[in-house]
Amino acid sequence: MKILKFGGTSVGSVESISKLLQIIEKEQKQSGNPVIVLSAMSGVTNLLSSMADKAAQGGTFSSELKELEERHFEVIKELLAVPRQNPVFTKLRILFNELEDLLQGVMILRELTPRTRDLVLSYGERCSTFMISKIAGQKSDEDVYVNAADVIKTDSSFGQARVNMELTELLIRDCYNTNKGKMLFVTGFIASNDEGRITTLGRGGSDYTAAIFGSALNAEEIEIWTDVNGMMTADPRMVKKAFSLPELSYTEAMELSFFGAKVIYPPTMIPAFMKKIPIVIRNTFEPEFPGSVIKHDCENSGLAIKGISSINDISIINIEGSGMVGKAGFSGRLFSLLAREQINVILITQSSSEHSITFAIHPSDAARAQHLIEHEFELELLAKKIEAPIFEQGLSVLAIVGENMKQTPGISGKLFHALGRNGINVRAIAQGSSEYNISVVISREDLNKGLNAVHDAFFVELNKTLHVFCLGTGNIGTTLFKQLLEHKDFLQKHNGIQIKVVGIGNTRKMFFDAEGIELENWQDTLQKEGEPADLAHFVERMKSMNLPNCVFADNTASLKPIEFYQEIFSSNISIVTCNKIGNSSSFEQYKLFRDTARLHGVDFFYETNVGAGLPIVKTLKDLMISGDRILSIEAILSGTISYIFNNYKGDITFHDIVKQAQEKGYTEPDPRDDLRGTDFMRKMLILARDAGYELEAADVEIESMLPESCLNAETVDDFYKTLQAENSFFEDMKKQAENEKKVLRYIGKLENGKVKIGLQMVDDAHPFYALSGSDNIISFITDRYKERPMVVKGPGAGAEVTAAGVFADIVHVGANKF
């Protein structure tokens, strides 16, 4: 025999009640008559409570009463045969008239006692259960409406009554045996005291009713039918990747339910737990889904934690003072006081020195708790033995739960790493010795981010999500979007990372979507739906979205984004950039960026600052991290200059090869921007700084490859004319190199803390001799690579390789995040 309980959403409409009837009919055929426990129609309990409050204040409630009637009558008209409707309408009208008279009395007296409120609220379950029992019974007339107030007996704690289990079980068994062979439709939530006065069982009381009946009748199973697919790893409204748990223990379910998982109410499980009756959470709207089983002998799932739960709104109170140290009974006085006044304490933590106690309560109790504490400890406060209690609002509790936690090292480390990497400050921590639960108090505005960050950290079988904000939609930005789209499936399959571009901006427009921007048509979206560009607003929106695991990708060559880097780091957002300006400006700024990123536990990756997609920066850092010592670095780090000197041979003039490079798109519109070596200098300066040298741009010695006349030409056309006129200058160098069987290379060198960039002639023994095309090359001579240097060579320019470098850096952020 089973107990089937249906929640408010399952009885909330004609459609849902039709599904409920199908489920009951199927169960009846398979296992015989179940006991059906029903809640009020969805929203009705809140409606009744609102009506009672209005009446107590002398307000009118007629419109709400009419709405209540219409909702029930609509169901009857749709689902009950016409000849059977009048008796049901009559009974419901009697109940609604009773309710109206009761509310009129409340309005006249301007008084709403807990006892009266319980009576008002009981009409929700009484109406829905009577109505559905008649709809279900129209085929057999063998269904019985049971008012649970006749069989569940409690004390007189109205609103949260305690059940007399011994008497209640006798009455339930007697009721069941009296109606043998019939299907019972039982009102959830309500009971009665010894005087027959209606009481209620508190929040989730209908679940409790089901468990009480299950225990009394030794049911095989208790099924809780609701609107979700069982117990989830997190609240699916806040964590989109939350998934259903096939099974969990009573302890795990109790912990998750206590900390905000509203699928099941904690006291529900106590009668079932005592009799070891499995509780199954099912979805009325997806009855084919198996749901979650809460049971005694749960198999080991292999998951470190079973779920993440939360209490959205709490207040914490901190009491501290020297008078508490070693003072026996202080905690007893404090918590006995709160218990006497029915103030529930959610979480407690105390320093080992006994100098302070912090505890969490519901915000509605905060003002009363403050008054009670100040009155109870008035003498201690006057004597300055304790400080005035400090109350903090706007907080939430996040809790991870699982029986495997007690045998899995590093659980707390993973939790705090996930929160810390996302800039979420932990205000208080509590962990029981059973290690089933670790609870942390965080800011309410960080709760959504915290839940998602922790969920990504613990459930390794899911793809981890990075939220990327991209600035710049030129060649590199556009190519990056293309690569992200092309490699989306590969990334998820092989790296377990999902990259969502949630913000795109350029100098004209910007657009945001927390769910991810579709990269197939991002241009149209940005153009049609984007708002006017504002860099400060872009950064502010990025911060205010407060998403977990964020990356800011700067795909520009502008100075303006650099001004926001420190603010972005301070907001616990990692930065990936191909923009060299930030790292090649003052050393003070260079150091500040690193220090700020380190302080806030985020990444600053800029592989593409030097050599586009070539692994130059990473290689240098790996050498230094491993304890190697850099003796010297030689490099050609300009694709433009590389192309020019690799092809400046034979009969071609220097003028013609520069012109050719410009036509192929290797140079800037004014080739002197490349040939001056300024970009090359920035790259060498970044390498020198990464190698540990505190250098400024002025410390880099640059030998110009161009005569002064070329550099001083007023226009690009004048430059080319001057270049032609100075042909002999370049021809002499080329001939000298050829005569000595060498080649010309524009090389940067770091040695003994000094950087020099200039034109050199190298022979075939030099690793740069055979360079071709527009490739970059770098040679590291270190203690380990002294005889034969480590050489990195490859394309050092172009949108494809640069975007690929940015892509790789974003993935590296993901590797560090998780």
Side-chain angles (χ1 to χ4, degrees):
M1 194 272 294
K2 292 182 181 179
I3 310 293
L4 273 59
K5 178 265 174 178
F6 292 90
T9 52
S10 300
V11 299
S13 66
V14 170
E15 180 190 3
S16 60
I17 292 171
S18 299
K19 290 182 181 294
L20 174 156
L21 296 171
Q22 292 169 13
I23 291 165
I24 293 173
E25 187 177 348
K26 183 179 179 182
E27 182 61 39
Q28 218 175 356
K29 289 177 181 177
Q30 289 179 346
S31 310
N33 286 336
V35 172
I36 311 301
V37 177
L38 298 168
S39 295
M41 295 180 78
S42 60
V44 164
T45 300
N46 288 339
L47 188 66
L48 289 166
S49 183
S50 172
M51 291 162 69
D53 289 335
K54 281 187 175 181
Q57 294 165 13
T60 179
F61 48 82
S62 55
S63 61
E64 288 92 340
L65 189 60
K66 185 178 179 183
E67 179 189 339
L68 196 65
E69 291 180 1
E70 286 176 351
R71 285 190 65 183
H72 288 81
F73 289 173
E74 180 189 344
V75 172
I76 293 165
K77 290 172 186 174
E78 288 287 334
L79 298 178
L80 193 62
V82 173
R84 292 173 173 266
Q85 288 180 6
N86 276 339
V88 180
F89 281 139
T90 301
K91 173 64 176 175
L92 286 178
R93 282 196 180 99
I94 291 171
L95 289 172
F96 291 137
N97 287 339
E98 287 178 7
L99 175 62
E100 184 176 17
D101 291 343
L102 179 60
L103 292 170
Q104 287 286 358
V106 170
M107 187 173 71
I108 292 167
L109 294 171
R110 297 288 199 278
E111 183 180 44
L112 179 64
T113 64
R115 186 175 80 177
T116 305
R117 182 182 288 277
D118 275 5
L119 183 56
V120 170
L121 297 182
S122 73
Y123 283 89
E125 272 70 18
R126 286 197 273 168
C127 290
S128 67
T129 306
F130 175 76
M131 175 181 71
I132 292 171
S133 70
K134 294 304 178 185
I135 294 169
Q138 59 189 322
K139 291 183 180 178
S140 63
D141 286 322
E142 290 294 313
D143 296 342
V144 177
Y145 163 70
V146 177
N147 186 341
D150 297 333
V151 292
I152 298 180
K153 292 298 175 179
T154 70
D155 64 9
S156 297
S157 301
F158 296 99
Q160 191 81 44
R162 287 183 287 273
V163 178
N164 179 339
M165 286 300 294
E166 189 175 351
L167 175 58
T168 294
E169 291 198 355
L170 285 172
L171 292 171
I172 288 173
R173 283 195 286 269
D174 182 60
C175 174
Y176 183 75
N177 291 329
T178 302
N179 294 287
K180 209 76 168 170
K182 297 180 180 180
M183 188 151 55
L184 306 185
F185 284 77
V186 182
T187 58
F189 182 55
I190 62 175
S192 67
N193 63 11
D194 292 339
E195 298 172 355
R197 301 284 187 186
I198 293 286
T199 60
T200 61
L201 302 177
R203 182 176 68 84
S206 294
D207 292 347
Y208 197 12
T209 304
I212 292 167
F213 266 78
S215 175
L217 301 175
N218 292 309
E220 173 195 338
E221 193 173 88
I222 300 167
E223 291 184 356
I224 308 292
W225 289 84
T226 179
D227 57 358
V228 293
N229 287 331
M231 294 285 281
M232 311 283 280
T233 51
D235 185 341
R237 292 167 302 181
M238 300 178 81
V239 180
K240 300 299 182 188
K241 288 191 274 186
F243 58 92
S244 297
L245 293 161
E247 61 179 41
L248 60 166
S249 70
Y250 291 113
T251 304
E252 289 170 332
M254 198 90 74
E255 291 278 3
L256 284 170
S257 298
F258 178 77
F259 282 95
K262 296 183 177 65
V263 174
I264 193 167
Y265 182 51
T268 298
M269 287 172 274
I270 295 171
F273 177 75
M274 300 301 289
K275 296 273 183 86
K276 296 183 180 178
I277 301 170
I279 301 171
V280 185
I281 313 295
R282 303 285 296 275
N283 189 343
T284 305
F285 306 96
E286 287 187 48
E288 66 284 352
F289 193 85
S292 300
V293 182
I294 303 167
K295 60 182 185 177
H296 175 70
D297 51 344
C298 209
E299 291 184 11
N300 193 325
S301 65
L303 295 172
I305 67 169
K306 278 290 178 67
I308 308 158
S309 198
S310 61
I311 300 175
N312 292 3
D313 195 10
I314 63 144
S315 297
I316 62 171
I317 302 174
N318 186 61
I319 303 174
E320 60 180 50
S322 57
M324 295 165 55
V325 179
K327 182 76 172 178
F330 184 89
S331 298
R333 279 176 67 194
L334 173 63
F335 294 115
S336 295
L337 167 70
L338 298 173
R340 282 197 309 271
E341 298 297 326
Q342 300 291 304
I343 295 175
N344 184 41
V345 177
I346 298 165
L347 171 152
I348 305 167
T349 181
Q350 182 173 16
S351 66
S352 57
S353 67
E354 301 182 36
H355 187 264
S356 68
I357 295 176
T358 300
F359 58 95
I361 60 175
H362 292 289
S364 58
D365 293 327
R368 192 158 58 96
Q370 182 175 11
H371 174 73
L372 290 167
I373 292 167
E374 288 173 351
H375 184 266
E376 175 72 20
F377 296 99
E378 184 177 6
L379 293 177
E380 287 86 347
L381 287 164
L382 287 171
K384 301 293 184 183
K385 289 185 177 180
I386 65 171
E387 302 296 326
I390 298 171
F391 287 72
E392 293 187 60
Q393 309 277 6
L395 301 171
S396 298
V397 174
L398 181 152
I400 57 171
V401 172
E403 290 189 343
N404 281 351
M405 286 166 56
K406 61 185 175 184
Q407 56 201 34
T408 309
I411 293 291
S412 56
K414 186 177 285 190
L415 168 65
F416 296 121
H417 176 76
L419 295 172
R421 285 279 297 184
N422 285 282
I424 299 170
N425 186 38
V426 175
R427 313 294 290 275
I429 305 163
Q431 180 177 15
S433 58
S434 64
E435 295 186 62
Y436 288 145
N437 173 309
I438 301 175
S439 305
V440 295
V441 176
I442 61 176
S443 171
R444 189 168 59 213
E445 65 183 23
D446 286 330
L447 181 60
N448 192 299
K449 179 165 71 166
L451 286 169
N452 281 277
V454 173
H455 197 273
D456 262 1
F458 278 100
F459 294 105
V460 294
E461 69 276 18
L462 299 176
N463 287 317
K464 314 306 180 186
T465 302
L466 280 178
H467 295 97
V468 182
F469 296 84
C470 289
L471 195 66
T473 58
N475 286 339
I476 295 169
T478 301
T479 307
L480 174 64
F481 296 149
K482 180 169 70 88
Q483 292 176 356
L484 287 171
L485 186 61
E486 288 173 352
H487 298 287
K488 179 174 70 172
D489 295 338
F490 179 88
L491 260 184
Q492 293 183 9
K493 182 178 179 182
H494 296 279
N495 295 75
I497 293 176
Q498 177 186 21
I499 295 176
K500 280 187 179 180
V501 177
V502 292
I504 297 176
N506 55 31
T507 55
R508 300 172 301 282
K509 296 265 190 174
M510 59 185 189
F511 179 75
F512 303 87
D513 185 345
E515 296 302 314
I517 299 167
E518 294 293 337
L519 295 181
E520 291 90 342
N521 54 357
W522 67 266
Q523 291 101 327
D524 289 343
T525 303
L526 184 63
Q527 184 60 36
K528 293 175 183 175
E529 301 181 42
E531 55 191 282
D534 181 324
L535 187 51
H537 186 50
F538 185 96
V539 173
E540 196 54 45
R541 280 287 293 278
M542 178 171 64
K543 289 160 54 183
S544 65
M545 286 171 76
N546 208 26
L547 297 170
N549 308 318
C550 286
V551 186
F552 174 70
D554 179 7
N555 298 316
T556 74
S558 169
L559 175 63
K560 290 181 180 178
I562 311 298
E563 297 169 2
F564 293 92
Y565 277 17
Q566 191 177 359
E567 181 182 345
I568 293 167
F569 286 135
S570 299
S571 302
N572 294 88
I573 297 172
S574 296
I575 294 179
V576 167
T577 182
C578 60
N579 189 339
K580 292 183 280 291
I581 297 172
N583 282 323
S584 59
S585 295
S586 70
F587 181 81
E588 182 183 2
Q589 178 176 279
Y590 167 90
K591 186 175 184 299
L592 180 63
F593 287 164
R594 271 143 200 77
D595 291 346
T596 309
R598 193 180 304 112
L599 177 65
H600 292 276
V602 293
D603 294 312
F604 182 29
F605 290 146
Y606 48 89
E607 186 64 72
T608 49
N609 277 194
V610 182
L614 294 179
I616 293 173
V617 173
K618 184 177 185 303
T619 300
L620 174 57
K621 288 184 176 178
D622 287 348
L623 287 170
M624 297 188 67
I625 288 169
S626 66
D628 205 352
R629 186 167 63 99
I630 307 298
L631 301 177
S632 70
I633 297 174
E634 279 192 299
I636 296 175
L637 297 174
S638 166
T640 304
I641 297 173
S642 180
Y643 176 85
I644 288 170
F645 285 105
N646 289 343
N647 292 278
Y648 183 43
K649 51 192 173 184
D651 295 333
I652 195 166
T653 66
F654 195 75
H655 166 277
D656 290 346
I657 195 62
V658 172
K659 194 78 171 174
Q660 190 180 102
Q662 186 180 30
E663 288 167 357
K664 287 180 176 288
Y666 288 126
T667 74
E668 295 294 329
D670 186 340
R672 287 173 294 182
D673 291 343
D674 298 290
L675 297 175
R676 281 190 180 96
T678 305
D679 186 61
F680 197 161
M681 178 276 292
R682 286 178 178 150
K683 295 175 181 178
M684 287 301 298
L685 182 61
I686 293 167
L687 285 177
R689 287 172 171 176
D690 281 359
Y693 297 105
E694 297 185 12
L695 297 181
E696 301 291 351
D699 298 324
V700 179
E701 186 181 336
I702 305 178
E703 180 187 298
S704 175
M705 70 181 74
L706 297 174
E708 283 294 320
S709 57
C710 296
L711 292 171
N712 296 332
E714 290 186 7
T715 65
V716 174
D717 288 340
D718 289 343
F719 160 70
Y720 274 114
K721 289 174 184 175
T722 310
L723 201 59
Q724 207 160 21
E726 294 282 1
N727 187 54
S728 60
F729 174 83
F730 298 102
E731 284 298 312
D732 290 345
M733 284 193 295
K734 181 171 70 168
K735 284 177 182 175
Q736 183 184 349
E738 288 173 349
N739 290 336
E740 296 178 17
K741 295 184 178 179
K742 295 180 179 179
V743 292
L744 292 170
R745 297 289 183 258
Y746 195 62
I747 298 172
K749 186 168 186 178
L750 166 65
E751 192 170 31
N752 298 323
K754 297 186 181 300
V755 178
K756 184 177 181 179
I757 303 171
L759 202 56
Q760 297 181 35
M761 298 180 191
V762 300
D763 59 24
D764 57 5
H766 198 285
F768 297 179
Y769 179 85
L771 197 64
S772 61
S774 60
D775 283 357
N776 282 192
I777 190 167
I778 188 164
S779 167
F780 296 99
I781 298 176
T782 72
D783 281 344
R784 294 182 194 145
Y785 296 93
K786 193 178 292 184
E787 301 303 322
R788 298 184 65 189
M790 178 190 285
V791 176
V792 179
K793 174 186 170 185
E800 284 289 339
V801 291
T802 304
V806 174
F807 191 159
D809 276 350
I810 291 171
V811 175
H812 288 149
V813 173
N816 286 350
K817 285 278 187 189
F818 310 115

